[in-house]
Amino acid sequence: MTRIRLTALALAALTAAAAHAQSDKIKVGLMLPYTGTYAALGTAIENGFKLYVEEQGGKLGGKTIEYFRVDDESDPSKAVENANKLVKRDNVDVLVGTVHSGVAMAMAKVAKDNNTLLIVPNAGADAITGPLCSPNIFRSSFSNWQPAYAMGLVAAERQKHKTAVTITWKYAAGDESVKGFKEGFESKGGKVLKELNVPFPNVEFQALLTEIAATKPEAVYAFFAGGGAVKFVKDYAAAGLKDKIPLYGPGFLTDGTLEAQGAAASGMLTTLHYGDDIATQKNKQFRLAYAKTYKLQPDVYAVQGYDAAQLLAAGIKAAAGDLTKRDAVVKGMEQAKLDSPRGAMTLSKAHNPVQDVYLRQVDGQSNKAISVAVKQLADPARGCKM
Ligand code: BEZ
């Protein structure tokens, strides 16, 4: 390449960077599932994110927020291409996504390779704040380990179960959720007898429900979410198991799903970093505003979207609106103390929420927090070198 051409290229890059820095807009790339079993989760995250931005007058740190959207279909095989549409084609300042752990891990790699700011508003893949942790990657939700480990403790210590069977979709989130449950349960003397799986996003549970009935564990731990959680909880009750072997899970099993699950979910105990009835001013205000804006009840996914926007706002504010001042953005986000609908939330060194994990019970259409299962639980961040 000639020297003149190189100089022209460098100039073009500088001009683009300057235009970016001076822009009065911040481009947010929402990469979420809008179709498939996790579609409702993606919509709730987007709603929550936009609710916070609207509460700030459509601006964060004085900058207008401009949205770009991609439906990731919860399909890891399309994830790199989808993330690149936002990063390279739309040139977004920040990526926000996604729900599915496999897709989110691919997003984290794209974000690392391009040094793009990424906020994960759901996917719990332990690796994101473990071996893949990075100064430009943040999570406003949970690690798969957090609610699962807490439920393992609850099942053994509070519920006094000695044996359990686990059942999940076979992919990173299900595998890690089962691993976390097993760690908590077996550390208190429980024993996991069998680990059952179906491929994601299959919902043919009949053969495995028959196997659970034949194994006769004292408890069942299940990881499913969205449409799959609705079907599993209903099938479990229809198979006559609900009154024989108590069904537990991380709160995704009953969050955003209760209307469709009806009586099949009544009384179920789950663990999660949110409960519908948390009696803070913030939660009351959030729930009212969300219901008024979207004519829907919010769930944990909406909370995580709302907090992703709060976290971004903290970074933009710390950099006085200039996202090219990456060190200031990162510091602002790292030091953020969020007044979340879930309660107080800070981030660990690996950029994962440190938060109370509640024990919740289904009461009608509500996941009621009946106690704090583990206070201010931090993910162990195994493998994170930051
Ligand atoms: C995940 O893939 O990490 C996930 C999906 C839905 C709910 C919770 C976790």
Side-chain angles (χ1 to χ4, degrees):
M1 217 183 284
T2 65
R3 207 166 150 172
I4 293 176
R5 181 149 164 64
L6 267 177
T7 316
L9 275 176
L11 233 138
L14 270 175
T15 317
H20 228 49
Q22 284 159 14
S23 167
D24 56 358
K25 285 188 180 154
I26 286 175
K27 292 176 161 192
V28 172
L30 298 171
M31 180 161 151
L32 293 165
Y34 296 109
T35 51
T37 197
Y38 287 161
L41 287 62
T43 301
I45 289 168
E46 177 170 342
N47 287 347
F49 192 98
K50 289 184 168 170
L51 178 64
Y52 181 78
V53 173
E54 282 317 303
E55 286 176 355
Q56 317 309 308
K59 291 186 176 187
L60 299 182
K63 303 272 175 164
T64 303
I65 301 300
E66 187 180 8
Y67 297 102
F68 295 78
R69 295 165 91 237
V70 166
D71 177 7
D72 67 40
E73 303 169 50
S74 296
D75 185 346
S77 74
K78 297 180 185 162
V80 169
E81 190 188 335
N82 280 330
N84 276 330
K85 282 183 194 158
L86 294 167
V87 171
K88 295 194 173 144
R89 181 193 66 191
D90 301 330
N91 206 14
V92 298
D93 297 296
V94 53
L95 268 178
V96 176
T98 187
V99 169
H100 183 287
S101 274
V103 178
M105 281 193 281
M107 287 181 80
K109 288 193 186 103
V110 170
K112 264 191 156 185
D113 290 350
N114 294 280
N115 194 25
T116 305
L117 194 60
L118 167 65
I119 305 177
V120 179
N122 183 70
D126 292 340
I128 288 175
T129 50
L132 292 175
C133 75
S134 175
N136 58 316
I137 298 178
F138 290 81
R139 182 151 53 195
S140 65
S141 51
F142 59 93
S143 73
N144 287 321
W145 179 88
Q146 282 175 306
Y149 175 76
M151 184 42 95
L153 298 182
V154 168
E157 291 185 315
R158 181 183 192 272
Q159 303 301 101
K160 314 266 181 241
H161 296 307
K162 293 270 174 265
T163 59
V165 165
T166 64
I167 178 164
T168 183
W169 276 315
K170 183 80 199 140
Y171 81 103
D175 291 347
E176 290 173 358
S177 189
V178 164
K179 208 167 151 206
F181 171 78
K182 198 170 167 180
E183 186 183 327
F185 190 54
E186 297 198 339
S187 74
K188 300 294 172 194
K191 178 89 195 120
V192 171
L193 303 177
K194 265 186 191 166
E195 297 177 23
L196 305 175
N197 299 293
V198 284
F200 178 85
N202 280 14
V203 288
E204 295 310 318
F205 301 123
Q206 223 43 58
L208 297 181
L209 291 174
T210 306
E211 195 171 340
I212 288 172
T215 308
K216 296 193 175 67
E218 288 181 23
V220 169
Y221 175 82
F223 170 90
F224 295 103
V230 171
K231 174 88 167 36
F232 182 77
V233 168
K234 288 179 92 170
D235 284 5
Y236 195 85
L241 291 172
K242 181 170 163 54
D243 299 324
K244 292 199 185 108
I245 309 170
L247 173 61
Y248 303 99
F252 316 114
L253 204 52
T254 59
D255 228 88
T257 54
L258 290 177
E259 207 180 318
Q261 286 165 333
S266 83
M268 274 180 63
L269 292 175
T270 62
T271 42
L272 203 63
H273 46 284
Y274 184 61
D276 297 332
D277 64 331
I278 289 172
T280 58
Q281 197 53 35
K282 183 72 194 178
N283 191 40
K284 285 182 198 157
Q285 171 259 314
F286 165 76
R287 294 193 70 85
L288 271 175
Y290 191 95
K292 193 169 165 221
T293 309
Y294 301 111
K295 315 287 175 251
L296 286 170
Q297 287 305 312
D299 54 22
V300 70
Y301 310 105
V303 171
Q304 295 165 173
Y306 188 85
D307 290 340
Q310 286 211 69
L311 197 55
L312 178 61
I316 298 173
K317 202 170 153 210
D322 184 354
L323 282 194
T324 62
K325 293 192 177 136
R326 176 61 66 78
D327 288 352
V329 174
V330 166
K331 203 162 165 208
M333 291 171 76
E334 284 176 338
Q335 293 178 348
K337 289 190 173 66
L338 298 192
D339 183 13
S340 165
R342 76 188 83 179
M345 186 193 119
T346 54
L347 293 182
S348 67
K349 265 176 77 181
H351 297 174
N352 190 65
V354 178
Q355 53 198 344
D356 289 348
V357 178
Y358 302 94
L359 176 63
R360 307 120 44 92
Q361 184 155 37
V362 175
D363 180 358
Q365 299 282 300
S366 181
N367 283 291
K368 294 219 157 106
I370 56 173
S371 62
V372 177
V374 187
K375 251 201 128 26
Q376 293 297 289
L377 184 62
D379 178 84
R382 294 167 185 136
C384 171
K385 297 197 175 59
M386 193 160 63

